[in-house]
Amino acid sequence: MTSSTIVLVNGAWSGGWYWQPVAAGLRERGLEVSVIDTLPSASGDPTLGLTADTEFLRKVIGDLPGQAILVGHSYGGMVISQLAGDPRVAGAVYLTAFWPKRGASFVDSAGGKLARWIETDEDSGLTHIAAEAVAKVVTDGLDPEQAKTVAFQLRPQSLLSFTEHSGDTDWGDTPVTYIVCTEDRVIPEQVQRTMAKNSPATLITEIAASHFPMFTAVDETVAAIAEAAVI
């Protein structure tokens, strides 16, 4: 089994807090894990977007003792894609995540516009998940107390993170796994499978889960990431 460190990269409006059960499960399997706490784009600064997130992640893996296996969820897939070809990355895992083509932004990858449930404040340059959409998009399937805790921890996300264009996202010989969540209502299954075809060598696996399997399918998510980490 690889001695690389698994680096868990969260999606938009959130932070490393939502990875904790998955991180614990991976560590129980004897795997080294590093969890990104907060990406710059979710710090409340509208001038920090995909580029800032990329450089932040690059520094994180630069401080590791060995190579990294990057796991990106949702928007986190945009971030890990920017490190394609970095010799310090031993593998990449997309968990129902955006894998853009070269030069494409998040908006481009999402079909040319942001979802209706994403509220944008042009004056502040920040975005939020509409309050009425949180239960349908984020906390679907959670018990009321857990849903309340999760909703409380959501943060604003810079608009810039969705509009900055991607660099080269060709992983070359680096092993890539795409974990398709078949019950996802945010990134439909077929869209996930289409992005997974960005490289013909991508290993595709699936779990029966919604967009946030770290809440609703912890064991399955741990197993899928752990399997992908065997290089």
Side-chain angles (χ1 to χ4, degrees):
M1 184 169 289
T2 180
S3 59
S4 300
T5 300
I6 297 173
V7 181
L8 302 175
V9 184
N10 58 270
W13 306 289
S14 55
W17 50 269
Y18 77 22
W19 282 118
Q20 295 309 320
V22 169
L26 291 169
R27 291 178 179 127
E28 287 176 2
R29 290 173 176 249
L31 297 167
E32 293 294 324
V33 180
S34 175
V35 182
I36 300 299
D37 181 36
T38 305
L39 288 171
S41 59
S43 67
D45 186 337
T47 68
L48 301 178
L50 180 60
T51 298
D53 291 341
T54 301
E55 292 312 307
F56 179 82
L57 181 58
R58 202 183 303 278
K59 183 178 185 307
V60 168
I61 68 171
D63 291 338
L64 296 176
Q67 288 184 296
I69 295 174
L70 303 180
V71 181
H73 170 248
S74 197
Y75 167 76
M78 294 290 299
V79 183
I80 70 170
S81 296
Q82 309 314 303
L83 274 72
D86 191 308
R88 294 167 297 182
V89 179
V93 180
Y94 291 81
L95 176 61
T96 185
F98 286 93
W99 183 358
K101 292 185 179 296
R102 181 186 180 96
S105 67
F106 178 97
V107 172
D108 296 331
S109 301
K113 60 182 179 181
L114 293 176
R116 292 191 300 271
W117 45 267
I118 299 176
E119 295 181 337
T120 300
D121 186 329
E122 299 288 350
D123 292 333
S124 69
L126 299 174
T127 68
H128 302 79
I129 300 176
E132 62 272 18
V134 171
K136 294 181 180 179
V137 176
V138 183
T139 61
D140 182 35
L142 302 186
D143 66 67
E145 283 306 310
Q146 188 179 19
K148 186 184 300 184
T149 300
V150 169
F152 179 76
Q153 295 183 85
L154 296 176
R155 314 171 184 213
Q157 179 81 14
S158 74
L159 178 60
L160 184 63
S161 62
F162 299 131
T163 58
E164 281 192 305
H165 294 282
S166 178
D168 186 0
T169 62
D170 183 358
W171 287 98
D173 296 332
T174 303
V176 179
T177 297
Y178 197 106
I179 302 173
V180 174
C181 289
T182 59
E183 298 174 6
D184 193 339
R185 294 191 296 177
V186 176
I187 308 178
E189 178 181 352
Q190 190 52 52
V191 175
Q192 296 175 60
R193 294 188 184 277
T194 298
M195 289 190 288
K197 293 178 181 177
N198 282 351
S199 170
T202 303
L203 175 64
I204 300 176
T205 186
E206 64 180 53
I207 55 179
S210 60
H211 189 64
F212 291 89
M214 64 285 296
F215 298 152
T216 59
V218 176
D219 292 343
E220 295 88 341
T221 303
V222 168
I225 294 174
E227 182 178 355
V230 178
I231 298 174

